[in-house]
Amino acid sequence: MSGTRDGKAISALWESSNQRNELFAGVKFMARADPDRFNNNEFLKKTDVQLNALQAGIVVVKNNLVTFASPFVDSAGLYNQLQGLPKGSDSHPWGPKINNRFTVNKYDFTFSDQSIGTVYVSPI
């Protein structure tokens, strides 16, 4: 812990990671409880602002199309990169890289119209 001022930098990183995990838990809960909120751009923009404050962004996929992507993680070919993630990628605490960034979490859900959705939260 040399050079971290008695661990303050590591503590701040740990706290930020915990806050991202808590926010993702809320995103995951919302996907289960009210999946159609992920069709609402205002909800997604507000969620993205909260995630951006924690150095993270959000991507929503519906029926194999990216319907929302945080400007911080959006890029050409994003959907193809997301599809290249190994199954169970959310089980590793840092996950695989997308655009040289680590994905934190992925959650699959079903919209009320029975279309398939996935939400990703990624550090920026």
Side-chain angles (χ1 to χ4, degrees):
M1 303 218 325
S2 152
T4 62
R5 295 191 156 185
D6 298 323
K8 290 180 184 177
I10 290 175
S11 178
L13 176 64
W14 185 259
E15 183 177 332
S16 177
S17 178
N18 283 339
Q19 288 174 337
R20 273 194 302 265
N21 288 340
E22 287 177 17
L23 191 53
F24 183 74
V27 167
K28 189 175 173 180
F29 173 80
M30 188 60 67
R32 282 192 312 259
D34 189 7
D36 291 334
R37 293 287 294 261
F38 291 89
N39 288 323
N40 181 320
N41 272 345
E42 287 304 310
F43 167 75
L44 293 170
K45 287 178 186 176
K46 287 179 184 178
T47 301
D48 190 45
V49 166
Q50 291 176 329
L51 284 165
N52 291 175
L54 299 171
Q55 299 297 303
I58 187 171
V59 177
V60 177
V61 175
K62 181 178 181 181
N63 288 333
N64 302 324
L65 296 172
V66 174
T67 59
F68 183 88
S70 172
F72 294 110
V73 296
D74 197 10
S75 66
L78 178 61
Y79 179 73
N80 290 333
Q81 292 178 57
L82 293 170
Q83 292 308 296
L85 292 174
K87 297 292 181 201
S89 64
D90 56 344
S91 63
H92 188 282
W94 295 107
K97 285 185 174 183
I98 298 285
N99 290 335
N100 294 316
R101 297 179 179 97
F102 288 103
T103 58
V104 173
N105 283 329
K106 168 188 169 187
Y107 183 71
D108 297 318
F109 62 97
T110 304
F111 288 93
S112 65
D113 65 2
Q114 301 308 304
S115 57
I116 303 301
T118 303
V119 62
Y120 299 85
V121 175
S122 177
I124 52 177

